[in-house]
């Protein structure tokens, strides 16, 4: 696949590569805008980026855009693809770019251009009659898009501001091969069946309520699932030498100004007034972690110091962007901060990478790594950023872990490695991250005493593995389609008495299983056995235990298993201790 860079150079890139995919879907967004302008010339164009799965474009239409128009736009896009339009790139001055967009009454483009530096040259990409200012890259010809499909319409706001102008967002997907589209459509159908919102309700895991938009309620089985995850997390971190801490859910403005978040992250923070002082509800735990470090006195012998926190954090997500457990306003972040000497940096990055690998393997996830570099909105010197970026690269290179570069998408205080896991139907989710930070130790003036007896400044790693525990649970629900592995299942065994005559013996079985550490519940409904079995299958319980006259007489149980072919589901009659042995391994 040929990709056109903004300097006019054409390079080869595969669609499987991150940059190739971005260029492909970014060009598809331009094809969408070109089709809309052909059919509805008075429409104003806002922005149209490539996203994780496809692309979208925001428009201001003069009319109510509907499914009928969506079909017409898709057909026009296919015609543009068939025209085999070669893309060309030009550089113009800011003044010329503004004049071009003002002449075409593209007010959103004018506003974007005005925000750019005065001396900056601005690149325009042109395909046929359509030209748009854009930094690229793009594929070199529209004919490389073999299949294209518009997926949905939704409302959006200019720059995400709910007080701003309401726009229409059109989502689409495209591929260089027809077979890839077929696979994608199949994946969408499978994803509908695995939707964590549907399964979460069906399995009694969580609830979403009008009284708290973006604030999920965990039900008893969901709380069991969450605690199983957190217990695993705690055991693992204890073995790895982490100490768990807890910091307040809100802290005053001066702290956030000191950390840099007030200037660089305030739009993602809830604020409130306490005793005539402005406070922020924490969107992350790192500034509180810095205060914890300052409570102690450390020497080089104490380093690396690994402090972990399951911090409840809040971020003001837009109402239209909320999505089940995947996008919420309140979540538990499995944060940790590692304070270390310079010579320990490489080893600690690699230890975190190995820990992330171990956790993802536990759940059957593969993953790829993305290295995000210095953003425009950053703090710290170029030298510090170069050192931090190089350290992350060296750590990955020495471990033989490949990564892709994501230019300009680092945290404002440092570069980062993002771990994108792949689920059972091929979707990717960004969860784990390792961020290397020279800035917060400097801002909080934290120190340790070196072997030379002098004061030194530690370097810091921020890292998460699950990312958001709530989101990770949503991913797990969809990854397993609700059929959690036995160790993670909120209910491992469901007892199904054939009739009420066997309730007394069933209670004895229940007690014996509970004493052995098995999570068990009993169906006492006055229903036929076939109905109870179907209910247990819908609940996706790993083992169903049938208790009738034969079992009561023999002091045994009859067991059916969830994860087996139909003819192997019936495991037959066995002792209670044998089932415990099977479950606990």
């Amino acid at each position: 696949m040929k990709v056109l860079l903004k300097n006019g150079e054409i390079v080869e890139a595969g669609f499987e590569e991150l940059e190739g995919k971005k260029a492909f879907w970014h060009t598809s967004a331009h094809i969408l805008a070109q089709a809309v302008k052909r059919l509805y010339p008075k429409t104003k164009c806002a922005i149209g980026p490539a996203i994780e799965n496809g692309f979208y474009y925001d428009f201001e239409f003069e009319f109510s855009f509907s499914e009928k128009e969506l079909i017409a736009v898709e057909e026009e896009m296919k015609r543009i693809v068939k025209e085999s339009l070669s893309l060309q790139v030009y550089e113009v001055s800011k003044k010329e770019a503004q004049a071009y967009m003002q002449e075409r009454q593209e007010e959103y483009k004018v506003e974007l251009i005005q925000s750019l530096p005065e001396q900056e040259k601005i690149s325009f990409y042109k395909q046929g009659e359509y030209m748009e200012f854009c930094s690229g890259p793009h594929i070199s010809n529209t004919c490389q898009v073999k299949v294209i499909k518009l997926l949905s319409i939704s409302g959006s706001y200019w720059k995400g501001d709910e007080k701003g102008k309401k726009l229409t967002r059109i989502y689409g997907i495209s591929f260089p091969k027809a077979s890839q589209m077929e696979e994608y459509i199949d994946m969408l159908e499978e994803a509908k069946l695995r939707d964590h919102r549907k399964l979460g309700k069906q399995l009694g895991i969580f609830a979403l309520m009008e009284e708290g938009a973006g604030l999920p309620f965990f039900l008893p089985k969901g709380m069991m699932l969450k605690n199983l995850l957190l217990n695993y997390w705690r055991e693992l971190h204890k073995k790895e030498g982490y100490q768990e801490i807890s910091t307040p859910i809100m802290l005053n403005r001066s702290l956030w100004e000191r950390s840099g978040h007030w200037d660089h992250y305030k739009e993602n923070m809830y604020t409130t007034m306490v005793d005539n002082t402005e406070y922020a509800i924490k969107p992350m735990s790192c500034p509180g972690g810095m205060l914890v470090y300052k409570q102690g006195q450390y020497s080089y012998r104490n380093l690396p110091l690994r402090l972990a926190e399951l911090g409840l954090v809040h971020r003001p997500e837009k109402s239209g962007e909320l999505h089940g457990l995947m996008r919420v306003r309140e979540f538990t972040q499995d944060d940790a901060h590692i304070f270390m000497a310079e010579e320990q940096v490489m080893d600690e990055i690699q230890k975190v990478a190995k820990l992330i690998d171990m956790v993802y393997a536990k759940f059957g996830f593969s993953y790829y790594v993305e290295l995000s570099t210095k953003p425009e909105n950053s703090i710290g010197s170029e030298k510090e950023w170069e050192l931090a970026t190089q350290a992350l690269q060296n750590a990955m290179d020495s471990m033989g872990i490949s990564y892709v570069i994501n230019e300009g998408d680092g945290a404002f205080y440092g570069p980062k490695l993002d771990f994108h896991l792949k689920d059972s139907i091929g979707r990717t989710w960004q969860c784990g991250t390792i961020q290397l930070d020279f800035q917060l130790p400097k801002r909080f003036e934290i120190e340790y005493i070196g072997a030379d007896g002098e004061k030194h400044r530690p370097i810091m790693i921020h890292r998460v593995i699950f990312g958001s525990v709530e989101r990770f649970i949503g991913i797990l629900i969809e990854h397993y389609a609700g059929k959690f592995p036995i160790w993670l299942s909120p209910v491992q065994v469901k007892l199904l008495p054939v009739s009420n005559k066997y309730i007394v013996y069933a209670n004895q079985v229940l007690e014996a299983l509970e004493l052995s550490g098995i999570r068990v519940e009993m169906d006492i409904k006055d229903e036929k056995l076939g109905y109870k079995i179907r209910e247990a299958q819908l609940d996706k319980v790993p083992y169903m235990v049938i208790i009738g006259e034969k079992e009561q007489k023999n002091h045994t149980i009859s067991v059916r298993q969830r994860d087996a072919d139909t003819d192997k589901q019936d495991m037959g009659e066995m002792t209670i201790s044998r089932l415990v042995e099977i479950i606990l391994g």
Side-chain angles (χ1 to χ4, degrees):
M1 189 169 71
K2 296 187 183 303
V3 171
L4 177 63
L5 306 180
K6 72 175 183 178
N7 64 3
E9 183 183 356
I10 293 179
V11 297
E12 289 289 336
F15 181 76
E16 296 74 22
E17 299 171 24
L18 181 65
E19 286 306 313
K21 196 167 284 184
K22 280 184 177 179
F24 193 91
W25 284 338
H26 200 168
T27 305
S28 300
H30 280 210
I31 294 171
L32 168 56
Q34 185 176 10
V36 166
K37 293 295 283 186
R38 279 187 180 183
L39 295 173
Y40 315 108
K42 293 184 179 179
T43 300
K44 291 181 171 60
C45 298
I47 59 169
I51 54 176
E52 188 173 2
N53 284 299
F55 57 91
Y56 72 77
Y57 212 112
D58 288 344
F59 300 99
E60 183 187 331
F61 290 100
E62 289 189 315
F63 57 91
S64 180
F65 192 85
S66 68
E67 291 291 333
K68 180 182 175 183
E69 286 82 24
L70 192 71
I71 294 168
V73 171
E74 185 179 300
E75 289 304 312
E76 188 61 36
M77 292 176 73
K78 291 174 182 176
R79 281 190 281 271
I80 291 169
V81 166
K82 287 179 180 177
E83 290 172 17
S84 297
L85 301 176
S86 292
L87 275 79
Q88 301 166 321
V89 62
Y90 306 93
E91 277 198 339
V92 300
S93 68
K94 180 177 178 179
K95 185 177 180 181
E96 289 170 322
Q98 281 181 300
Y100 180 84
M101 288 301 176
Q102 282 170 342
E103 184 182 342
R104 283 151 185 78
Q105 298 183 326
E106 294 285 2
E107 59 189 63
Y108 300 105
K109 302 296 184 186
V110 171
E111 185 177 333
L112 290 172
I113 293 169
Q114 284 172 342
S115 67
L116 297 174
E118 206 61 46
Q119 62 272 48
E120 186 172 311
K121 284 282 186 179
I122 296 171
S123 56
F124 273 75
Y125 279 83
K126 184 177 186 296
Q127 54 195 53
E129 81 286 357
Y130 183 77
M131 190 159 78
E132 180 170 337
F133 90 91
C134 179
S135 60
H138 287 272
I139 55 176
S140 62
N141 193 295
T142 61
C143 71
Q144 295 183 64
V145 180
K146 299 303 181 187
V147 282
I148 198 160
K149 183 175 180 61
L150 296 183
L151 300 171
S152 62
I153 311 165
S154 70
S156 66
Y157 294 96
W158 175 234
K159 292 186 175 179
D161 183 357
E162 293 180 359
K163 296 178 182 178
K165 283 193 177 179
K166 186 90 183 286
L167 303 172
T168 298
R169 177 168 294 178
I170 301 175
Y171 286 96
I173 190 78
S174 59
F175 294 99
K177 295 178 183 177
S179 60
Q180 291 169 313
M181 181 67 80
E182 291 170 11
E183 289 170 7
Y184 181 77
I185 298 301
D186 289 344
M187 184 272 287
L188 287 182
E189 291 303 311
E190 181 64 24
K192 286 179 185 176
L193 299 174
R194 295 168 177 259
D195 190 324
H196 76 285
R197 294 167 298 178
K198 175 186 169 186
L199 287 173
K201 183 177 181 180
Q202 175 187 320
L203 301 176
I205 293 172
F206 71 95
L208 301 169
M209 307 197 192
E210 291 180 3
E211 291 83 353
L215 307 169
F217 288 70
F218 277 89
L219 307 179
K221 288 179 183 175
M223 204 62 216
M224 176 62 74
L225 172 61
K226 187 174 182 179
N227 283 334
L228 287 166
L229 269 181
L230 299 187
N231 290 342
Y232 165 66
W233 184 92
R234 284 191 164 105
E235 288 171 12
L236 197 61
H237 282 71
K238 186 177 180 180
K239 289 177 185 175
E240 294 293 318
Y242 287 81
Q243 301 174 62
E244 188 173 353
I245 62 170
S246 177
T247 62
I249 199 168
M250 64 178 184
L251 294 159
N252 69 33
R253 174 175 174 167
S254 64
L255 174 80
W256 301 102
E257 287 176 333
R258 188 175 186 182
S259 69
H261 289 87
W262 198 264
D263 291 330
H264 297 270
Y265 205 76
K266 186 173 182 292
E267 69 276 7
N268 297 308
M269 298 162 69
Y270 289 109
T271 59
T272 187
M273 296 297 292
V274 180
D275 296 334
N276 297 318
T277 301
E278 198 164 14
Y279 275 64
I281 299 173
K282 69 178 181 182
M284 71 271 296
S285 300
C286 37
M290 304 302 295
L291 297 184
V292 170
Y293 182 93
K294 287 178 74 69
Q295 292 301 299
Q297 293 183 338
Y298 303 103
S299 80
Y300 69 97
R301 294 187 181 90
N302 302 114
L303 302 184
L305 178 69
R306 307 181 185 101
L307 300 178
E309 177 173 10
L310 292 165
L312 190 63
V313 301
H314 294 75
R315 295 178 187 176
E317 303 289 354
K318 305 296 181 186
S319 59
E321 296 176 344
L322 298 174
H323 180 74
L325 296 179
M326 305 303 195
R327 198 74 178 265
V328 294
R329 288 171 172 158
E330 173 188 276
F331 59 95
T332 307
Q333 192 174 56
D334 63 320
D335 215 345
H337 299 101
I338 303 170
F339 303 88
M340 61 210 157
E342 186 175 347
E343 62 272 15
Q344 296 169 327
V345 169
M346 175 81 73
D347 192 41
E348 287 303 305
I349 293 171
Q350 292 180 345
K351 281 183 178 177
V352 175
K354 289 173 184 175
L355 187 60
I356 291 173
D357 181 79
M358 185 193 307
V359 172
Y360 290 175
K362 175 88 170 174
F363 299 99
F365 292 124
S366 60
Y367 61 88
Y368 73 89
V369 181
E370 191 175 273
L371 171 61
S372 297
T373 60
K374 183 182 178 185
E376 290 182 13
N377 180 28
S378 63
I379 58 177
S381 69
E382 287 291 339
K383 183 180 179 182
E384 288 168 329
W385 274 86
E386 286 173 14
L387 286 171
T389 304
Q390 193 62 55
L392 293 175
Q393 287 180 304
N394 291 344
M396 292 297 97
D397 290 342
S398 63
M399 293 178 74
I401 298 176
S402 60
Y403 53 89
V404 292
I405 304 290
N406 185 13
E407 292 288 353
D409 202 36
F412 71 85
Y413 46 77
K416 59 179 180 168
L417 294 167
D418 286 330
F419 291 73
H420 298 256
L421 57 82
K422 182 178 286 189
D423 69 14
S424 59
I425 60 173
R427 297 170 301 178
T428 57
W429 309 88
Q430 193 276 305
C431 291
T433 190
I434 303 173
Q435 303 171 355
L436 194 55
D437 183 4
F438 287 72
Q439 307 309 319
L440 285 192
K442 188 189 301 182
R443 283 178 169 246
F444 282 85
E445 300 176 330
I446 63 173
E447 297 169 335
Y448 70 92
I449 304 300
D452 58 2
E454 299 295 321
K455 291 180 179 179
H456 298 268
R457 182 143 292 145
I459 298 169
M460 181 178 175
I461 284 175
H462 308 244
R463 48 112 289 197
V464 297
I465 300 176
F466 296 146
S468 156
V469 173
E470 286 71 11
R471 183 168 177 262
F472 198 78
I473 289 172
I475 293 167
L476 289 178
I477 292 171
E478 298 195 359
H479 177 60
Y480 293 121
K483 294 183 178 181
F484 300 109
I486 186 70
W487 75 272
L488 198 56
S489 295
V491 177
Q492 296 170 313
V493 175
K494 195 155 194 177
L495 302 184
L496 309 177
V498 173
S499 75
N500 290 339
K501 289 191 295 183
Y502 310 108
I503 290 290
V504 173
Y505 178 58
N507 274 316
Q508 293 171 7
V509 173
L510 184 143
E511 186 177 339
L513 289 171
E514 286 184 334
L515 285 172
S516 299
I518 305 300
R519 298 185 293 278
V520 56
E521 67 179 20
M522 181 161 55
D523 187 340
I524 58 172
K525 292 193 291 293
D526 190 16
E527 297 284 355
K528 292 182 178 179
L529 180 60
Y531 177 86
K532 291 183 178 183
I533 290 173
R534 285 192 297 275
E535 286 283 293
Q537 288 171 333
L538 286 173
D539 288 343
K540 305 184 188 294
V541 179
Y543 293 98
M544 291 157 271
V545 168
I546 297 163
I547 297 172
E549 183 178 0
K550 178 181 64 173
E551 290 79 18
Q552 180 172 277
K553 181 181 177 181
N554 298 336
H555 292 283
T556 58
I557 54 177
S558 291
V559 182
R560 289 172 62 90
Q561 62 180 322
R562 175 194 69 191
D563 299 320
D565 296 332
T566 305
D567 60 341
K568 295 180 181 177
Q569 282 186 330
D570 190 348
M571 298 172 67
E573 195 175 355
M574 65 180 71
T575 62
I576 296 170
S577 59
R578 175 58 185 145
L579 179 60
V580 171
E581 186 181 314
I582 290 169
I583 293 172
L584 299 183

